[in-house]
Amino acid sequence: MSLEPTATSPASAHLRAVNKFYGDFQALKDITLDIPPGKVTCLIGPSGSGKSTLLRCINFLEEYDSGEVRIDDRLIGYETPGGKRMSGRRLREMRCDIGMVFQQFNLWPHMTALQNVAEGLERVRGLKRAEATARAREALAKVGLADKEANHPSRLSGGQQQRVAIARAIAMQPRIMLFDEPTSALDPELVGEVLAVMKQLAAEGMTMVVVTHEMGFAAHVADRVVFMERGELVAAGAPREIFQHPTDQRLASFLQGYRERNSLDF
Amino acid sequence: MLEMLHRYGPDLLTGFGLTLLTWVLGTVGGLVLGFFLEMARRFGPRFWIGWPIRAYVEFIRGTPFLVQLFVLYYGGPLIGLRLDALPAGVLGLSLYGAAYFTEILRAGFDAVPKGQIEAARAIGLPGRTIVWRIMLPVMMVSALPALVNFAIILTKETVILSMITVPEIMFQTQTMMSETFAFVLPILILALFFWGFVEVISRFGRRLERRFTHYLLEES
């Protein structure tokens, strides 16, 4: 299989009236949201508010039940809105333009850092091994891990593992990157190195959607912050509006709680 | 004793060869069939595929191997399946092994962290590649000892093939016993043979395990 990158410009994502149910529980309620290209959108909110579910609908790891999710103008997951599922091949084709970084890194433990990064290049993008290896090395160098390419994940710190995971995603030359609480599983002293790589990506103009509890990152790096609670999109706006002038009561009390726990001022 | 060995040696060697052959074919056949059953069960429709496979596994696990072999060998012709003793034995061993192997593989695949599979799907890897490149190597860490263990159990099940006249080593030993009325020596030879055979497989299994788990054993 060989899926060449379709374009190199950053993509936008558009969600229209997206609903997601787990049995009787409604995890997403009528979410409509535009993710602008080349910008950083942070999703914040309490645990269980649907942030991760929303993020995972963007690459269809989570199947939404109704509504539309589009990458640029291409619907993901279904042939037509509410229609039948799209073919596996077309879904894979769309997915390799969407990078994803997980809370638990999810590196493949039997492969070295280099192999983890090269795997998709070789088997999805269809590059020859030498070329895949060269590009994987570039990606590892970009996240500052050129010297760790021969290490298996078990011999890397959490921060290093997450940076390999970012390298694995960016090596595929995605047009949009999804981050699902990328620093939540890290020891506090390792959070910085991962955020630094993410800031660098943001500065390069990558479209990024970040589910995070790092309010500092959201406040300083995000172009747009979206607050969710109980499956609903409650507020969205520039970080300044969200953090300094919250108009919604639920957002204000969420931020208040966060400030009290962290005694931080942003 | 030497005279006896001289007289029965060639037959014992033939029996040894056949035991080896039936074991290798039965184990490989069982593994391949077990793998396909597991794939069908995991990715196929639950009603049409899942339930029949489960019933098959329960039948094999719930009945003695000897009974299954008789059903296949003596009952087969009733449905037009006429097999010689050797192919019937190999097929019986494969069908028997497959039921156990498929259960070991099921547990192994279930133990692969979901996130690692999601990461593979998120990057666009096709399902078959995910199974071969991610799930199989990862699950081998936990499944390989059980797979090797069952392959070892199968070595000893091969003696049951003597009951449908496959001239493997048990059959040859029984012939030797009935013709010479010597019991202790032949059965000791048989026991030593199996012990040695199993020892070789164990060593091979341990080497294989090291190969699949080397990344966990690296010193940090």
Side-chain angles (χ1 to χ4, degrees):
Chain A
M1 188 172 94
S2 166
L3 298 172
E4 291 297 319
T6 46
T8 49
S9 57
S12 58
H14 309 277
L15 292 86
R16 290 286 171 272
V18 173
N19 285 292
K20 168 74 189 172
F21 292 87
Y22 295 109
D24 290 337
F25 176 73
Q26 188 167 9
L28 294 178
K29 297 176 187 164
D30 255 334
I31 303 285
T32 292
L33 176 67
D34 289 305
I35 311 284
K39 304 281 184 198
V40 178
T41 304
C42 281
L43 304 180
I44 63 167
S47 296
S49 57
K51 312 179 294 287
S52 291
T53 307
L54 176 65
L55 189 80
R56 290 161 57 87
C57 282
I58 298 177
N59 65 353
F60 207 64
L61 269 189
E62 209 68 72
E63 299 176 18
Y64 52 96
D65 295 309
S66 67
E68 296 174 26
V69 177
R70 292 178 187 275
I71 307 297
D72 286 338
D73 52 359
R74 281 184 75 189
L75 187 72
I76 190 165
Y78 301 99
E79 296 279 353
T80 52
K84 69 173 203 197
R85 287 272 304 269
M86 75 193 321
S87 71
R89 191 188 155 86
R90 283 195 53 209
L91 181 60
R92 291 200 301 275
E93 196 182 295
M94 288 191 76
R95 273 184 179 153
C96 59
D97 280 344
I98 310 172
M100 183 153 190
V101 174
F102 300 83
Q103 182 177 355
Q104 298 295 339
F105 331 133
N106 293 340
L107 294 180
W108 303 307
H110 57 297
M111 296 183 187
T112 62
L114 188 70
Q115 289 166 336
N116 262 280
V117 181
E119 184 71 9
L121 294 172
E122 218 176 307
R123 298 184 190 272
V124 180
R125 291 292 193 206
L127 300 188
K128 296 237 163 55
R129 176 159 297 179
E131 205 182 333
T133 306
R135 220 154 95 184
R137 285 205 171 104
E138 274 172 38
L140 281 174
K142 194 166 174 182
V143 298
L145 289 173
D147 57 332
K148 301 286 183 193
E149 65 166 56
N151 286 31
H152 283 91
S154 59
R155 292 189 61 199
L156 295 170
S157 72
Q160 290 169 337
Q161 287 188 54
Q162 193 59 300
R163 285 191 280 154
V164 173
I166 295 174
R168 175 171 69 180
I170 59 174
M172 297 289 288
Q173 296 182 325
R175 300 175 54 227
I176 177 169
M177 287 276 293
L178 312 176
F179 293 84
D180 191 2
E181 301 195 31
T183 57
S184 298
L186 296 176
D187 291 337
E189 73 270 21
L190 302 178
V191 168
E193 60 187 78
V194 172
L195 292 183
V197 170
M198 290 170 63
K199 281 179 192 163
Q200 184 192 337
L201 269 179
E204 288 169 10
M206 173 69 79
T207 308
M208 292 166 62
V209 189
V210 186
V211 171
T212 187
H213 292 293
E214 290 291 329
M215 294 304 152
F217 179 83
H220 294 118
V221 183
D223 297 289
R224 194 143 178 268
V225 177
V226 174
F227 172 69
M228 291 183 68
E229 200 194 35
R230 295 186 184 181
E232 286 175 64
L233 196 157
V234 176
R240 218 181 152 74
E241 294 166 37
I242 294 288
F243 291 116
Q244 291 174 5
H245 311 290
T247 49
D248 184 89
Q249 183 52 42
R250 287 178 286 180
L251 170 59
S253 80
F254 170 75
L255 292 174
Q256 180 63 25
Y258 182 84
R259 284 197 181 92
E260 279 166 12
R261 282 193 307 279
N262 295 277
S263 53
L264 266 181
D265 198 19
F266 36 68
Chain B
M1 185 177 111
L2 276 177
E3 189 193 329
M4 204 158 74
L5 279 181
H6 183 69
R7 191 171 146 204
Y8 288 97
D11 288 347
L12 285 178
L13 270 180
T14 312
F16 167 70
L18 264 180
T19 294
L20 216 64
L21 181 74
T22 51
W23 176 75
V24 168
L25 294 178
T27 305
V28 171
L31 268 172
V32 171
L33 182 60
F35 177 75
F36 279 112
L37 287 178
E38 172 51 20
M39 287 296 103
R41 183 158 55 171
R42 191 160 286 269
F43 300 112
R46 173 182 271 211
F47 186 80
W48 295 110
I49 300 215
W51 288 107
I53 291 175
R54 196 168 157 194
Y56 165 74
V57 168
E58 293 307 324
F59 171 75
I60 297 287
R61 292 202 302 192
T63 52
F65 178 47
L66 180 62
V67 173
Q68 296 159 19
L69 205 55
F70 279 179
V71 168
L72 181 69
Y73 188 59
Y74 297 115
L78 297 179
I79 54 160
L81 187 67
R82 229 170 277 277
L83 291 173
D84 286 341
L86 183 62
V90 168
L91 181 62
L93 211 54
S94 299
L95 292 173
Y96 174 73
Y100 289 88
F101 283 134
T102 196
E103 283 296 287
I104 297 171
L105 292 171
R106 181 176 63 84
F109 279 120
D110 282 349
V112 176
K114 211 170 141 236
Q116 289 172 19
I117 300 168
E118 282 190 340
R121 288 170 57 207
I123 225 165
L125 286 176
R128 199 175 299 173
T129 310
I130 296 177
V131 169
W132 280 108
R133 301 275 309 166
I134 312 291
M135 295 176 78
L136 266 175
V138 170
M139 64 92 96
M140 276 302 165
V141 174
S142 59
L144 198 57
L147 291 173
V148 171
N149 195 40
F150 195 74
I152 285 173
I153 290 174
L154 278 184
T155 60
K156 288 166 285 182
E157 298 289 13
T158 57
V159 300
I160 295 187
L161 304 193
S162 65
M163 303 294 284
I164 57 165
T165 70
V166 176
E168 46 68 75
I169 197 159
M170 184 74 203
F171 185 90
Q172 302 292 359
T173 310
Q174 278 173 327
T175 309
M176 184 173 160
M177 290 193 298
S178 61
E179 285 176 9
T180 61
F181 300 108
F183 291 98
V184 178
L185 183 67
I187 217 77
L188 268 181
I189 293 174
L190 186 72
L192 281 176
F193 158 72
F194 271 104
W195 191 10
F197 184 21
V198 165
E199 195 55 37
V200 171
I201 301 170
S202 297
R203 275 164 200 259
F204 176 71
R206 276 199 290 274
R207 275 179 61 175
L208 214 57
E209 273 175 48
R210 272 201 296 276
R211 217 182 126 170
F212 277 104
T213 58
H214 69 99
Y215 60 89
L216 297 172
L217 306 173
E218 283 178 1
E219 285 180 27
S220 44

